[in-house]
Amino acid sequence: MAEKGKQTMEIAYFPGCTLKNTAKRLETSALGVAKLLGLDLRELPNWTCCGTCFSLAEDNLMKQVAPIRTLSRAASLGYSVITTLCSVCYNTLKQADLFVKSDPKRLKKINTFMEEEANYEGQIAVKHFLTLLDELGEEKIKEAVKHNLNGLKVGCYYGCLLLRPQSIAIDDCEQPQIMERLMKALGAEPVYFPYQVECCGSYHTAVHPEIVARRAYRILENARENGAEIVVTSCPLCYFNLKDRQKNIKEIYSGFKPMKVSYFTEIMADAFGLTKILENG
Amino acid sequence: MRLVLKKNDGLLKKIKAISGEDIYACYQCGMCSAGCPMGQEMDLLPNQVIRLLQIGAERQVLHCRTVWLCASCFTCTARCPKGVNLARLMEGVRLFLLRTQKEDHFSPQQMVKEPLPPIALIGALRKFTT
Amino acid sequence: MRIGVFICHCGRNIAGVVDIKALVDRVSTLENVVYATNEMYLCSDPGQRKIQEVIKEFKLDRVVVAACSPKMHGATFARAIEEAGLNPYLIEIANIREQCSWVHQDLRKIATEKAFKLIKAAVAKVALAKPLEPVYVPLTRKVLIIGGGVAGIQAALDIANGGFEVYLVEKSPTIGGHMAQLDETFPTLDCSACILTPRMVEAARHPNIHLYTYAEVKQVEGVVGSYKVTIEQKPRYVDPEKCTGCGDCAEVCPVIVPNEFDQGLGGRKAIYIPFPQAVPAVYTIDLEHCLNTEKLIVCEQCYKACGPKAINYLMGPKEIEIEVGAIVLATGYDLWPIENLREYGGGEYPDVINGLEFERLLCSSGPTGGVVRRPSDGKIPKRVVFIQCAGSRDPKHGCAYCSKICCMYTAKHALLYKHAVPDGEAYVFFIDVRAAGKRYEEFVQRVMGTDGIKYLRGKVSKVFQRNDKLVVWGVDTLSGVAVEIEADMVVLALPIVPSQGTKELAQMLKAPTDEYGFLSEIHPKLRPVESSMMGIYLAGAVQAPKDIPDSVSQASAAASKVLSLFSNKQLALDPIKAEVDLEKCVGCGECAKVCPFGAITMKKRLDKKKRKYAEVNKALCQGCGCCMAACRKEAIQVEGFTLPQLRAQIYAILDAKPTKVEIKKKEGGNEDKTAIVKPR
Ligand SMILES: Cc1cc2nc3c(=O)[nH]c(=O)nc-3n(C[C@H](O)[C@H](O)[C@H](O)COP(=O)(O)OP(=O)(O)OC[C@H]3O[C@@H](n4cnc5c(N)ncnc54)[C@H](O)[C@@H]3O)c2cc1C
Ligand code: SF4
Ligand code: SF4
């Protein structure tokens, strides 16, 4: 496996702040999985925060400097693809990329802002890790499975930022299948639940935990109603809202029963027999 | 209550300059409101925010909770038949307020005191403060 | 030569920009101009009379009118000078409105100068004009109607009753189109089949109508007056002469497949008739599902059961060639695929259905015998949500237009549902209710006032399944509340789109379509039933979404256009057509190669050398001028637009004259003629 990996392309890997902080499990499991599958992920040296939440202001290019600087650095190191694990980083990088690319004047202006960097020409493809896995193909994933998930009923939760706006969607934004395909390849049984594309409340968790708890309650209950035993996600913020806010849910809805929540990569690591790696961090 | 409508495109122009969105593209079908995950928490429905701007009743918009509750989830943007990027428009109103009022909507002190993922913190700071 | 120039003010349209008085003065000095004048409105009766008087008084032999576009009034002025005794082709229109005053509103001086040049050019051109006579071509007074829906049937009956032969070609095994699938029709709620089937029978029995069902138009050649058409008739494997329509065959057929006529909600056999009143009442074997193949016969059940021995497994497709003088397009519409609406679970949830499916569920001769049952489990739905504009008026989904009929049929659906399920509830989501038709608004008001029917103003954002219910997330923008409805069934009013195959058909006929694929009319207000391709007429939903009254009106209008065309024995065509100068033609054949209409054939001369020459079929020639540009010998020219005329126009505008013609021998021996123009 590792030998084969040598032939594959090196891919720039942008972790983002949260993966080095509360979402360590996402990173460790993903990197383990990537290595096993021969995906050559190289963490960008001296990366900076992408800024979180793509800035929607048309009149303030300064807010795009952080994500574009990252892309520019990847480009000057000779990468053509950059990948992220976190949905928020993915959304921010991709939207920023499209936003500056869509207007040559904008691109020029932002390059002037980032004097210290090499000019960014829009040559980097921003891909979420899920897309890389999907491109790798089902067969490759199946080959790597050591412990088949034996029909584990998984609710794949996409949330917002992998699918919307449409210009950055990694799959159909109403009924995505990309995570389902992956789960099937692991031997799990993905269950469709309509709330899989509904927002969890996002950053409101910092000021309105009760709103987020209400959102999370509906999402988790909907997954349960449709037969899910576990909910998987790729977003550390969704993960926090769906998992850590369960205690707040309990305060509002006393009958609420806990639901397992996990990163999709953790499930992969389990199926690939990489649990050890995970435990050791 | 009867609202006296006056010509005042100033605010509209500013919001347009910030957001780049044309509010008159909206034909008030309400699809945004029908699908908004935060709708239950809002005082104005998303389509009403646009409607009030369209008719020039801007006061209501500047004082509503809705724009602050919008979570930039892009559900409305993805489904709007007329291609209005409502998430941008909401940000336009927020930024207009943040820039003109010189006062944050939430100060960092008002945020929950528990360990949060950095994206939650930074996200909230970006949306609620200048 | 005595040319008169008439300059029109067009109220302030021209006079407000162009200095008319100065123009008249300057124009008067032009060579050959014996009279120049101006008039407030030349197109008015007094304006035209003025032209006629001046022609007589000043013995004019040519006329220039400086006014609006010739597209607007070219024909009016030609007729006016003809009435005054001049040949109608001895006139030239200088367009000083669209091409001058309207586009140079703030440039009075320059506009006046430009107007002068345009008039000068027109004078130069008309000086070289020759009197022309219309070209008469033979007219085959028979018509082809493609599509046997209510529009096609209506047009066929009208033309046939007018005494002319009609070929009606329908691709499905029966005529009737979508109207045959409907239950009751708005706003009168009369039974669709009851009013349609007598018409279908009448069409089939009419001595002037040749009906080809299960057939398609394969090829069309020629132009207005004489089209050669090839029709391909698919094999039914049942002899229509022998079949009595008894249905004994279908009884024994072992294969059951979804019935298209019932929108797949019911079944039919592989040998079938779409519905009992189908016309012709002849069974058809659908080879795709029949156990037999073209090569192998494994089942003979129907053959054995058929008393009159009508079944013939060896039938093949048949080609029929006909000749007609005009074509009516009436290929109708399809519904946009429901799968496009992923947010409503279209194609995903069996109980999210389209309007035609609902019609079949309402219909007493439908798959459920008129009991409204939902497709998934056959239960009677107690709460139905109707969603209007589900894809229409939705530029994001590529369908910016209003489908026009769905407001009305949704109101009808809600009411008929209440009739069928009195304790049921109907919810209708609408953005606007468009009920502009005779008695339409009254009908909608009646529906809105019916107990158990609730109209909610707003769109639905999402539909999803919860247990055996469909959860609908919508909004009522009037009250400002987002709502959730747990429904048993959801009916989508999907966009009306041109029927499948219409695009290819339009391409074959060179008839233009709009950006959505609907056939375009030549003028949206004044000529709404004619294609800009002469000889092609439009009827029904093929042109735009239409309800039955509109489709029928348009079909009758198209029929009357055909009848007025057929009121002449010959077709008089505009003589603006290519003409070959046999002295100059060297028979190279370049013109024949470039002609987009195939109007030019190369013939052999009768002299000893048997050299070739070009011959123009005037019926086919459209006067486009491609040949004129291709001919190196200037041997082929379009009448009314000859090269000397065009040159004269150009020189007049450039204030120049050809001073020298250089003839260079190029390598390879081709002559390269260059006219050098120098400003004076
Ligand atoms: C759900 C629903 C309910 C409706 N209810 C009403 C109502 O209550 N009242 C009302 O006034 N209107 C109603 N309508 C509208 C009505 O169906 C149309 O106005 C009418 O059918 C239009 O007739 P048409 O002949 O133009 O087209 P169609 O009915 O579509 O007929 C076209 C015919 O052409 C044939 N064809 C297509 N392509 C070819 C080809 N290439 N070669 C040969 N043949 C071809 C087709 O097979 C078909 O037979 C309803 C429509 C819908 C969708
Ligand atoms: S969905 Fe779009 S068009 Fe409809 S009300 Fe919302 S913003 Fe306006
Ligand atoms: S006819 Fe009515 S329902 Fe249909 S698209 Fe137009 S407005 Fe919408």
Side-chain angles (χ1 to χ4, degrees):
Chain A
M1 270 280 166
E3 274 310 298
K4 259 194 219 157
K6 284 259 155 58
Q7 299 154 6
T8 60
M9 179 179 69
E10 289 175 14
I11 295 167
Y13 160 55
F14 175 78
C17 318
T18 308
L19 273 85
K20 299 291 179 192
N21 191 303
T22 57
K24 273 222 151 30
R25 295 179 68 82
L26 174 57
E27 176 167 56
T28 342
S29 54
L31 292 182
V33 160
K35 196 167 163 205
L36 190 81
L37 291 170
L39 286 169
D40 195 359
L41 304 191
R42 304 286 174 103
E43 181 170 329
L44 270 184
N46 63 21
W47 56 266
T48 55
C49 170
C50 65
T52 328
C53 298
F54 172 70
S55 160
L56 295 168
E58 183 91 359
D59 66 344
N60 190 353
L61 258 186
M62 279 312 282
K63 300 263 178 194
Q64 309 301 345
V65 168
I68 297 299
R69 185 189 287 130
T70 294
L71 300 184
S72 160
R73 285 183 183 164
S76 52
L77 290 171
Y79 292 105
S80 56
V81 177
I82 189 167
T83 193
T84 75
L85 293 162
C86 163
S87 309
V88 186
C89 299
Y90 166 74
N91 191 282
T92 307
L93 290 180
K94 184 96 181 181
Q95 285 214 65
D97 180 47
L98 294 180
F99 181 69
V100 301
K101 271 203 300 216
S102 66
D103 179 356
K105 271 196 229 129
R106 235 178 246 156
L107 195 60
K108 197 168 159 207
K109 201 157 160 199
I110 197 144
N111 277 322
T112 330
F113 280 156
M114 309 188 303
E115 250 181 316
E116 73 291 356
E117 307 285 339
N119 271 6
Y120 179 60
E121 311 287 352
Q123 66 271 55
I124 290 276
V126 182
K127 288 189 181 174
H128 190 267
F129 189 56
L130 272 169
T131 306
L132 291 184
L133 293 174
D134 201 50
E135 287 170 357
L136 208 58
E138 220 175 320
E139 286 312 309
K140 275 263 168 62
I141 310 272
K142 277 188 186 155
E143 276 170 27
V145 173
K146 282 226 184 76
H147 310 299
N148 190 295
L149 291 180
N150 278 333
L152 176 71
K153 296 208 163 151
V154 182
C156 300
Y157 177 72
Y158 291 83
C160 312
L161 298 178
L162 293 177
L163 302 175
R164 295 186 292 263
Q166 251 153 346
S167 51
I168 62 90
I170 64 168
D171 199 358
D172 181 277
C173 69
E174 297 296 345
Q175 287 165 14
Q177 282 298 315
I178 184 166
M179 235 190 289
E180 277 78 355
R181 279 198 290 276
L182 179 64
M183 290 301 134
K184 267 191 216 147
L186 302 176
E189 187 189 317
V191 298
Y192 170 70
F193 69 112
Y195 274 72
Q196 65 175 181
V197 298
E198 292 292 320
C199 177
C200 66
S202 184
Y203 53 80
H204 283 293
T205 206
V207 285
H208 295 302
E210 72 295 350
I211 293 184
V212 169
R214 284 198 284 269
R215 294 293 311 156
Y217 172 70
R218 293 202 185 96
I219 293 165
L220 296 173
E221 284 308 308
N222 185 251
R224 202 194 316 268
E225 276 165 27
N226 285 280
E229 300 167 66
I230 181 167
V231 171
V232 298
T233 173
S234 81
C235 175
L237 181 48
C238 300
Y239 181 88
F240 177 84
N241 285 348
L242 295 184
K243 187 164 181 169
D244 299 56
R245 285 278 170 247
Q246 290 195 13
K247 63 177 188 305
N248 306 62
I249 295 180
K250 192 84 187 154
E251 284 166 19
I252 310 173
Y253 308 95
S254 51
F256 175 77
K257 295 260 162 355
M259 172 62 115
K260 272 196 237 161
V261 178
S262 146
Y263 291 114
F264 72 98
T265 49
E266 289 182 280
I267 289 226
M268 290 184 80
D270 279 345
F272 291 177
L274 299 172
T275 330
K276 272 264 158 55
I277 298 188
L278 255 183
E279 276 160 13
N280 303 337
Chain B
M1 178 190 70
R2 187 189 293 279
L3 199 72
V4 180
L5 295 181
K6 294 188 200 128
K7 181 175 163 114
N8 179 7
D9 300 335
L11 174 77
L12 219 58
K13 278 205 188 108
K14 278 178 205 137
I15 292 175
K16 177 159 188 177
I18 304 175
S19 69
E21 287 301 305
D22 173 13
I23 64 155
Y24 292 111
C26 163
Y27 66 173
Q28 286 296 318
C29 68
M31 198 170 199
C32 44
S33 305
C36 179
M38 287 292 171
Q40 278 111 315
E41 317 283 343
M42 290 171 169
D43 48 357
L44 287 177
L45 287 178
N47 77 290
Q48 292 176 316
V49 170
I50 305 197
R51 188 66 196 145
L52 291 167
L53 288 173
Q54 282 175 333
I55 65 168
E58 38 209 59
R59 292 232 138 259
Q60 268 102 323
V61 174
L62 297 182
H63 292 109
C64 73
R65 268 162 63 84
T66 294
V67 296
W68 300 107
L69 284 167
C70 161
S72 300
C73 75
F74 298 105
T75 306
C76 52
T77 303
R79 295 199 187 129
C80 171
K82 297 296 295 287
V84 176
N85 193 334
L86 190 48
R88 267 183 179 274
L89 205 82
M90 296 281 191
E91 182 114 324
V93 179
R94 279 193 297 266
L95 283 173
F96 172 80
L97 288 167
L98 287 174
R99 288 180 195 175
T100 49
Q101 296 184 341
K102 311 243 182 307
E103 191 185 300
D104 291 340
H105 183 66
F106 275 107
S107 66
Q109 288 75 33
Q110 286 167 285
M111 293 182 187
V112 296
K113 311 273 179 294
E114 60 182 304
L116 289 172
I119 25 177
L121 272 175
I122 308 171
L125 287 174
R126 284 198 75 158
K127 295 288 176 181
F128 299 139
T129 67
T130 33
Chain C
M1 185 149 311
R2 301 181 63 79
I3 301 175
V5 180
F6 301 83
I7 302 171
C8 185
H9 292 218
C10 193
R12 292 197 47 76
N13 272 302
I14 296 171
V17 179
V18 170
D19 183 345
I20 301 273
K21 194 176 166 310
L23 206 54
V24 173
D25 289 346
R26 280 182 78 188
V27 167
S28 310
T29 65
L30 289 172
E31 206 182 334
N32 295 330
V33 173
V34 296
Y35 185 86
T37 186
N38 58 311
E39 220 20 70
M40 193 56 124
Y41 290 108
L42 274 175
C43 59
S44 68
D45 246 13
Q48 293 185 44
R49 229 173 301 128
K50 169 85 181 247
I51 298 177
Q52 293 171 334
E53 281 159 18
V54 173
I55 291 176
K56 287 186 186 133
E57 192 180 334
F58 288 85
K59 302 209 162 40
L60 300 183
D61 54 14
R62 278 162 174 74
V63 167
V64 167
V65 168
C68 55
S69 159
K71 287 205 158 173
M72 195 73 203
H73 282 309
T76 316
F77 294 123
R79 210 176 315 117
I81 72 160
E82 190 175 18
E83 281 169 17
L86 284 186
N87 180 284
Y89 292 92
L90 296 177
I91 185 172
E92 195 60 36
I93 312 280
N95 179 356
I96 60 166
R97 192 179 77 175
E98 285 85 342
Q99 293 182 353
C100 187
S101 66
W102 276 2
V103 285
H104 306 301
Q105 302 235 341
D106 307 322
L107 305 164
R108 291 182 55 106
K109 252 183 112 177
I110 296 174
T112 306
E113 180 63 22
K114 179 170 172 185
F116 172 69
K117 290 206 163 156
L118 290 171
I119 296 172
K120 191 177 161 205
V123 168
K125 186 182 172 211
V126 83
L128 300 176
K130 282 191 306 185
L132 301 173
E133 295 303 327
V135 174
Y136 290 96
V137 297
L139 172 63
T140 310
R141 295 199 288 171
K142 297 176 186 174
V143 68
L144 165 69
I145 299 180
I146 311 178
V150 66
I153 293 174
Q154 181 67 38
L157 286 171
D158 285 355
I159 297 170
N161 287 336
F164 297 99
E165 270 180 71
V166 176
Y167 296 93
L168 179 56
V169 176
E170 165 59 50
K171 77 170 166 195
S172 71
T174 174
I175 54 173
H178 287 110
M179 188 177 165
Q181 293 176 290
L182 307 181
D183 179 35
E184 291 172 6
T185 55
F186 63 76
T188 43
L189 296 188
D190 33 7
C191 148
S192 193
C194 313
I195 54 179
L196 179 67
T197 42
R199 288 294 175 92
M200 291 161 59
V201 173
E202 194 185 338
R205 294 219 182 118
H206 203 292
N208 280 344
I209 299 180
H210 308 280
L211 183 59
Y212 294 95
T213 48
Y214 214 41
E216 271 180 81
V217 172
K218 222 178 126 193
Q219 203 186 358
V220 177
E221 279 176 348
V223 287
V224 56
S226 51
Y227 294 100
K228 281 203 178 60
V229 180
T230 315
I231 301 169
E232 187 182 276
Q233 183 136 42
K234 289 169 270 181
R236 280 178 189 261
Y237 305 102
V238 176
D239 184 343
E241 304 295 324
K242 292 190 190 149
C243 175
T244 60
C246 67
D248 289 347
C249 50
E251 292 273 309
V252 298
C253 175
V255 183
I256 300 182
V257 291
N259 187 356
E260 299 82 356
F261 184 78
D262 285 333
Q263 295 284 308
L265 295 176
R268 64 160 170 83
K269 296 296 182 65
I271 185 161
Y272 73 109
I273 188 164
F275 56 102
Q277 304 95 322
V279 170
V282 173
Y283 276 71
T284 303
I285 295 183
D286 152 21
L287 199 65
E288 204 189 313
H289 296 106
C290 173
L291 298 175
N292 301 328
T293 67
E294 270 171 40
K295 298 202 184 83
L296 192 67
I297 291 172
V298 293
C299 169
E300 288 186 320
Q301 298 270 21
C302 57
Y303 179 81
K304 286 188 199 137
C306 178
K309 292 279 165 263
I311 292 168
N312 172 5
Y313 296 129
L314 301 175
M315 231 180 229
K318 219 165 52 183
E319 279 196 2
I320 300 125
E321 297 207 343
I322 57 166
E323 226 171 277
V324 296
I327 298 175
V328 177
L329 269 176
T331 51
Y333 69 92
D334 282 339
L335 290 181
W336 194 61
I338 200 165
E339 290 76 17
N340 290 344
L341 288 174
R342 309 272 285 174
E343 56 270 45
Y344 296 165
E348 189 85 16
Y349 305 132
D351 298 330
V352 175
I353 64 172
N354 71 32
L356 285 172
E357 289 173 313
F358 196 66
E359 291 283 343
R360 296 313 298 150
L361 293 179
L362 287 170
C363 199
S364 51
S365 61
T368 52
V371 182
V372 178
R373 295 185 182 283
R374 56 185 210 168
S376 64
D377 54 10
K379 281 195 193 140
I380 296 175
K382 288 295 157 91
R383 197 180 283 139
V384 179
V385 168
F386 296 89
I387 305 178
Q388 294 191 178
C389 300
S392 298
R393 305 173 69 195
D394 184 341
K396 203 188 60 214
H397 277 118
C399 216
Y401 58 87
C402 166
S403 289
K404 199 175 177 199
I405 58 172
C406 8
C407 288
M408 288 307 295
Y409 78 58
T410 302
K412 175 186 78 173
H413 284 172
L415 192 64
L416 294 180
Y417 165 69
K418 279 296 292 178
H419 291 174
V421 187
D423 63 337
E425 289 171 84
Y427 291 86
V428 178
F429 282 96
F430 70 100
I431 315 179
D432 300 290
V433 171
R434 298 183 171 169
K438 204 166 170 170
R439 305 233 165 265
Y440 285 15
E441 176 61 15
E442 294 93 317
F443 178 74
V444 170
Q445 289 306 327
R446 175 181 156 203
V447 176
M448 286 183 169
T450 302
D451 231 13
I453 300 180
K454 291 199 185 81
Y455 268 69
L456 297 162
R457 197 218 164 267
K459 251 191 121 152
V460 166
S461 178
K462 184 166 173 151
V463 176
F464 59 91
Q465 190 119 33
R466 182 187 291 155
N467 306 321
D468 73 335
K469 301 279 183 193
L470 291 163
V471 180
V472 177
W473 282 351
V475 68
D476 178 53
T477 60
L478 296 177
S479 56
V481 287
V483 298
E484 175 176 304
I485 301 174
E486 269 202 348
D488 297 311
M489 189 153 98
V490 173
V491 183
L492 304 183
L494 296 169
I496 301 283
V497 295
S499 63
Q500 207 200 346
T502 296
K503 191 172 142 209
E504 291 74 20
L505 205 55
Q507 273 166 359
M508 183 159 67
L509 296 168
K510 300 197 180 71
T513 50
D514 66 17
E515 67 266 48
Y516 306 110
F518 289 111
L519 267 289
S520 301
E521 60 288 327
I522 189 164
H523 191 289
K525 290 160 207 159
L526 302 177
R527 298 175 71 183
V529 306
E530 296 157 82
S531 162
S532 62
M533 198 65 194
M534 213 182 148
I536 312 257
Y537 302 88
L538 314 174
V542 69
Q543 181 214 15
K546 287 196 181 74
D547 58 15
I548 297 164
D550 280 2
S551 301
V552 170
S553 315
Q554 202 196 11
S556 286
S560 87
K561 287 280 167 191
V562 172
L563 290 173
S564 82
L565 180 77
F566 286 0
S567 65
N568 302 297
K569 292 219 166 70
Q570 280 184 319
L571 200 57
L573 298 179
D574 208 18
I576 308 296
K577 300 202 175 283
E579 181 76 32
V580 181
D581 181 343
L582 288 177
E583 304 259 304
K584 290 185 183 161
C585 176
V586 294
C588 69
E590 285 301 317
C591 51
K593 271 190 225 155
V594 298
C595 177
F597 303 96
I600 301 176
T601 38
M602 300 310 294
K603 294 254 163 94
K604 283 216 177 86
R605 297 192 196 229
L606 296 174
D607 60 9
K608 283 199 199 106
K609 289 189 187 156
K610 298 259 189 279
R611 284 178 309 150
K612 285 194 176 164
Y613 71 98
E615 192 179 84
V616 178
N617 178 336
K618 300 267 171 166
L620 295 180
C621 172
Q622 301 290 306
C624 71
C626 288
C627 52
M628 186 153 96
C631 178
R632 277 171 289 187
K633 292 287 172 191
E634 297 190 3
I636 192 163
Q637 309 226 7
V638 174
E639 296 281 18
F641 291 86
T642 61
L643 284 169
Q645 282 183 297
L646 300 183
R647 281 199 192 103
Q649 247 181 323
I650 294 168
Y651 295 146
I653 285 178
L654 296 179
D655 255 338
K657 244 189 183 172
T659 51
K660 198 167 95 188
V661 173
E662 247 181 35
I663 298 177
K664 288 192 291 196
K665 270 274 187 225
K666 269 221 296 203
E667 276 171 69
N670 271 346
E671 275 180 10
D672 185 17
K673 218 186 256 182
T674 326
I676 310 252
V677 179
K678 265 196 197 150
R680 242 190 288 181

